[in-house]
């Protein structure tokens, strides 16, 4: 699933190079949301794994 943030980032960069500001902004926004979501899930997984090993 983290691959989607990379895909939307690539679309944003290509669209930005060609001057499609609306497409670039939308793709960059989606990539940012997905990045934050997966970063949060990764941190949550680390915390759960840490506390799971203690018991």
């Amino acid at each position: 699933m983290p691959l989607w943030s990379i895909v939307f980032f690539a679309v944003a960069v290509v669209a930005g190079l060609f001057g499609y500001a609306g497409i670039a902004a939308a793709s960059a926004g989606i990539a940012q949301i997905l990045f934050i979501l997966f970063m949060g899930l990764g941190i949550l997984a680390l915390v759960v794994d840490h506390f799971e090993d203690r018991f």
Side-chain angles (χ1 to χ4, degrees):
M1 289 304 273
L3 177 65
W4 283 111
S5 58
I6 296 170
V7 170
F8 282 112
F9 175 74
V11 169
V13 169
V14 171
L17 290 175
F18 288 114
Y20 298 113
I23 296 171
S27 295
I30 292 170
Q32 186 178 18
I33 290 169
L34 289 174
F35 175 76
I36 291 169
L37 174 72
F38 290 124
M39 186 172 55
L41 289 174
I43 291 170
L44 179 66
L46 287 173
V47 169
V48 167
D49 186 51
H50 176 73
F51 284 114
E52 192 174 79
D53 290 340
R54 287 186 154 196
F55 298 110

